[in-house]
Amino acid sequence: MSSSMEQTESKAAKPDEFIMVIEDLWYSRGQKKIFQGLNINIRRGEVTAIMGPSGTGKTTLLRLMTGQILPDRGRILIGGEDVTKMSRRELYRLRKRIGMLFQNGALLTDLSVYDNVAFPLREHTNLPERLVRHIVLTKLHAVGLRGAWQMSPSELSGGMARRVALARAMVMDPDIIFYDEPFVGLDPISMGVVVRLIRKLNDALGLTSIVVSHDVEEVSSIADRTFLISDGRVVASGTPEDMEQNVSAVVQQFMSGMADGPVPFHYPAPDYDEQILKRNES
Amino acid sequence: MADAAAIAEGSNPLTIKVSGDWGLGNPVPPVDDVLAELGALPAGAGLELADGGLGSWDTVLIAYLSRLVEAGQAGSLKVSYGQLPAGVRGLLDLAFAVGEREGARREATRKSFLTRVGDRAIAATGGVADGVAFLGEAIQSVGRLLTGRARWEPADFWSAVQESGPRALGIVGLISFLVGAILAFVGAVQLEQFGAGIFVANLVGLAMTREMAAMMTAVIMAGRTAAAYAAELGTMRVNEEIDALSTMGIEPMDYLVLPRLLALVAMMPLLTLYADLLGILGGMLVGVSMMDLGALAYYQQTIDSIGVDDFLIGIGKSVVFGVLVSLIGCMRGIQAGNSARAVGDAATKAVVTCIVAIVVSDATITVILTVLGI
């Protein structure tokens, strides 16, 4: 394991410095190549951001990382174990050590907030209900929603649903939490709350957080390290400061939000004039 | 009201003045005539685009003018559009500021007939492969259940039992009663010609127990339960709940499909027995009221004509149908797409696939039983 890491990371690395290593990952869906030789190393205990324009396969990458889909080629090591070679049972065992926050929370709609957070505990452990209650209320308290324990998911606002989902994601005290676009569709207050929570929980619980997002500002404010993906490869990586100073055109375009550049503004289309004029003449 | 979009031409240098309202809703002058005219000009001649009383305008105007500018440039004309309103000028400048990206223009091509047939065939094979894969996962899941490793909630099983059992009694009862009565009517007309009216009891009893009870129950369950399963699971798919379950280390197959499968497999034989009974009752009602058969005679004839094996065949079929209906319903739900429409599609497909599967499997079983002579 350590030898492979030294190949991909030039700096001398302690064997367990990286909790997750992605090596030469290839993945395609139909004719479309999504990843072409992707390499990412994620350090233990850090908040790592994975950014990229829409459609670069960030969510696909999360699904690959959690073994929900298999790559065409390459390795994904979590704690030294290759996710792509795991049996179903190993995979499900691994997933108990992983928390995941989905774009819209993905709370189970027929369970209350409390039961949603308690769900993984009840399914995976035989803890007495008294202890489950204690753990659940602690986690709900951490996201500031202890008072909402009786509510049903349909009564929650978007921001609250995401915080409950966050409590559920960390109720098993995972080693890694994946965040899939955690800031999408939140008002500034909820967004600020979620941004701070991600950082605070990461440090307080000693987690490793992987945030997939395209909200440059929010992510830069909490990430220790950022990987920018474009065209199926990592085009830049480093601390937020590194990224800001990076002069490459793609990085500049993405970080400062320019409409056209290496990432084209236009999706391939028939000729503009023809499409509009033809309709009018006829 | 909107003035018609128009152009006026002056010569030397060729001046094209645009006037009126240029909008997506208005017809515009044909561009080809002007293009032909431009093509006839010698290289180096001037072309001026100017405002001749322009009303409201939108992108159509820009597209039109940029087409002229392009044609002018291609024919090496001296193009100027300084006389146009500032907004139009700005947009035209913008249109030519960045050259068109190579390969960005995608030609729409109509696929050939063979290609389309091939695409359909490949898609259909993919569907079959998905179905087989789902069946395989379901079998694995049952395997985990039998070895005690499946993780599921008994409460979900009981609520599925409630939904597919007691709540279905009303409609299953009504339909079976009527089917029994209809069979009796059809038989009565024919059999009475031979003075064999009492054999209506045989007809109804055998048809209900061997075929109709199981099949009608299964069709009803396809309509209410398979559609409900597909919609429930499809909604969970859209809400990412199914992904959430699997990332929480819980097999959606065990947690969602297993209780529904078991509930329907447990309920279908019971519903079928119930349907047998009500179907025979329906037949008896017709026999007694329309054909002047005695209730007791009808009862005795029924008892004599059907055996336990007839009931068992119907019940055996109902178990097969229960597996089909629940698995197809769940499969359509779990494989639903990610949009709101996908849920409706999933429910529709579930019902259609179920009914086809029921009829095909019923025919297959009946042929096998006939060949075997059972």
Side-chain angles (χ1 to χ4, degrees):
Chain A
M1 181 182 106
S2 60
S3 67
S4 63
M5 282 176 178
E6 277 155 12
Q7 283 167 9
T8 49
E9 183 78 2
S10 53
K11 284 179 227 163
K14 277 179 284 173
D16 61 356
E17 189 178 354
F18 299 117
I19 193 161
M20 182 158 200
V21 177
I22 296 177
E23 280 177 6
D24 191 31
L25 186 74
W26 291 71
Y27 181 75
S28 53
R29 186 182 296 134
Q31 296 291 312
K32 195 168 186 277
K33 289 198 170 95
I34 313 259
F35 298 119
Q36 310 176 45
L38 191 76
N39 290 296
I40 290 181
N41 294 332
I42 288 164
R43 283 163 205 267
R44 198 178 288 276
E46 289 193 346
V47 175
T48 304
I50 296 177
M51 296 202 275
S54 300
T56 40
K58 299 188 294 297
T59 303
T60 309
L61 182 59
L62 277 190
R63 295 171 74 90
L64 284 163
M65 284 173 167
T66 50
Q68 284 171 285
I69 45 178
L70 287 177
D72 301 338
R73 219 169 87 192
R75 300 203 299 168
I76 302 170
L77 303 168
I78 296 185
E81 293 176 85
D82 192 346
V83 176
T84 59
K85 294 204 171 54
M86 281 186 180
S87 72
R88 207 179 173 91
R89 205 185 305 181
E90 288 172 316
L91 211 52
Y92 275 95
R93 207 192 58 228
L94 168 81
R95 288 185 188 156
K96 291 176 199 170
R97 291 163 37 212
I98 290 176
M100 178 140 178
L101 186 71
F102 285 87
Q103 254 177 50
N104 55 16
L107 297 173
L108 299 170
T109 37
D110 50 353
L111 299 180
S112 70
V113 163
Y114 178 92
D115 289 331
N116 257 294
V117 180
F119 185 84
L121 285 176
R122 288 183 178 150
E123 292 299 322
H124 292 309
T125 68
N126 289 318
L127 296 176
E129 192 54 33
R130 199 167 42 82
L131 201 53
V132 170
R133 185 181 165 79
H134 183 78
I135 297 173
V136 171
L137 290 181
T138 313
K139 304 292 180 185
L140 278 175
H141 188 74
V143 297
L145 290 175
R146 189 163 43 87
W149 68 280
Q150 275 180 312
M151 290 165 88
S152 83
S154 56
E155 295 173 278
L156 301 174
S157 71
M160 287 164 86
R162 207 140 330 159
R163 278 148 71 192
V164 172
L166 183 51
R168 184 180 67 180
M170 62 178 190
V171 76
M172 295 283 287
D173 287 320
D175 301 337
I176 310 177
I177 295 192
F178 294 97
Y179 297 90
D180 186 4
E181 301 281 6
F183 312 119
V184 167
L186 293 184
D187 67 82
I189 303 174
S190 308
M191 175 126 65
V193 169
V194 173
V195 167
R196 271 191 298 278
L197 267 177
I198 292 175
R199 182 75 242 183
K200 215 171 77 185
L201 293 173
N202 187 74
D203 298 346
L205 302 175
L207 306 168
T208 304
S209 304
I210 298 170
V211 184
V212 161
S213 178
H214 48 228
D215 293 284
V216 175
E217 217 173 294
E218 285 73 27
V219 168
S220 300
S221 69
I222 53 165
D224 295 305
R225 210 164 296 273
T226 302
F227 291 87
L228 181 61
I229 301 179
S230 181
D231 283 336
R233 288 190 192 82
V234 173
V235 288
S237 65
T239 61
E241 295 78 47
D242 293 344
M243 297 297 279
E244 254 168 60
Q245 284 153 17
N246 195 315
V247 289
S248 101
V250 184
V251 181
Q252 279 306 314
Q253 188 197 357
F254 188 78
M255 299 301 276
S256 48
M258 288 180 288
D260 217 349
V263 179
F265 172 67
H266 290 288
Y267 190 81
D271 189 64
Y272 192 30
D273 303 347
E274 277 173 26
Q275 209 172 13
I276 293 180
L277 288 176
K278 283 261 171 66
R279 220 189 78 199
N280 272 291
E281 282 170 13
S282 58
Chain B
M1 276 316 292
D3 297 325
I7 52 171
E9 294 170 18
S11 54
N12 207 20
L14 179 66
T15 312
I16 296 177
K17 288 189 172 169
V18 286
S19 61
D21 292 321
W22 291 67
L24 266 174
N26 297 353
V28 301
V31 72
D32 294 330
D33 302 354
V34 189
L35 287 180
E37 211 166 319
L38 292 188
L41 289 178
L47 167 65
E48 195 174 333
L49 305 176
D51 180 3
L54 198 55
S56 67
W57 53 271
D58 65 15
T59 329
V60 170
L61 177 66
I62 308 301
Y64 192 91
L65 292 179
S66 66
R67 193 71 186 276
L68 298 186
V69 173
E70 255 177 6
Q73 283 166 347
S76 314
L77 307 179
K78 286 181 195 138
V79 184
S80 65
Y81 45 83
Q83 302 298 312
L84 289 169
V88 180
R89 241 171 26 231
L91 283 172
L92 277 177
D93 286 340
L94 206 57
F96 295 103
V98 181
E100 190 180 343
R101 187 176 295 275
E102 280 297 314
R105 186 181 297 197
R106 193 174 50 181
E107 302 299 336
T109 49
R110 185 169 163 74
K111 289 176 180 166
S112 74
F113 174 72
L114 281 179
T115 318
R116 278 178 286 143
V117 170
D119 284 348
R120 284 282 179 86
I122 289 170
T125 346
V128 171
D130 285 350
V132 172
F134 190 86
L135 181 66
E137 287 196 37
I139 292 171
Q140 282 187 326
S141 178
V142 171
R144 283 194 295 275
L145 174 78
L146 295 178
T147 51
R149 286 182 292 119
R151 218 178 275 289
W152 58 295
E153 290 288 321
D156 290 343
F157 169 71
W158 291 115
S159 78
V161 163
Q162 165 82 4
E163 189 46 50
S164 56
R167 294 226 174 112
L169 282 179
I171 181 134
V172 169
L174 176 72
I175 301 282
S176 323
F177 187 83
L178 292 179
V179 167
I182 292 167
L183 285 174
F185 269 123
V186 174
V189 176
Q190 302 299 323
L191 291 171
E192 281 203 319
Q193 291 177 3
F194 306 103
I198 188 68
F199 286 102
V200 163
N202 299 40
L203 174 76
V204 173
L206 281 175
M208 285 311 291
T209 50
R210 290 181 75 111
E211 291 288 341
M212 297 312 287
M215 186 140 111
M216 291 316 292
T217 310
V219 169
I220 293 165
M221 296 318 266
R224 65 193 299 286
T225 308
Y229 286 178
E232 279 171 36
L233 300 192
T235 312
M236 292 185 79
R237 159 69 69 207
V238 172
N239 287 341
E240 295 181 309
E241 287 177 52
I242 291 178
D243 291 331
L245 280 177
S246 73
T247 47
M248 281 191 285
I250 292 161
E251 284 270 9
M253 211 64 200
D254 296 2
Y255 192 78
L256 299 174
V257 178
L258 212 46
R260 289 173 168 83
L261 171 68
L262 294 180
L264 210 54
V265 169
M267 285 301 105
M268 275 296 290
L270 298 179
L271 285 174
T272 302
L273 275 181
Y274 170 74
D276 286 341
L277 181 68
L278 283 205
I280 291 170
L281 274 180
M284 188 186 272
L285 181 78
V286 172
V288 171
S289 62
M290 313 276 300
M291 300 165 67
D292 298 326
L293 298 172
L296 199 61
Y298 190 98
Y299 170 76
Q300 195 56 47
Q301 185 71 22
T302 306
I303 295 286
D304 291 344
S305 63
I306 52 179
V308 176
D309 53 340
D310 298 317
F311 278 103
L312 289 182
I313 287 169
I315 287 173
K317 282 181 181 173
S318 77
V319 172
V320 173
F321 297 157
V323 172
L324 285 175
V325 168
S326 56
L327 283 188
I328 290 172
C330 291
M331 180 181 86
R332 290 299 184 191
I334 282 188
Q335 293 174 349
N338 278 328
S339 64
R341 213 186 123 172
V343 178
D345 281 349
T348 314
K349 277 190 197 158
V351 175
V352 173
T353 321
C354 273
I355 290 177
V356 172
I358 289 165
V359 175
V360 169
S361 63
D362 188 42
T364 315
I365 294 173
T366 305
V367 167
I368 291 174
L369 290 180
T370 312
V371 169
L372 291 180
I374 300 172

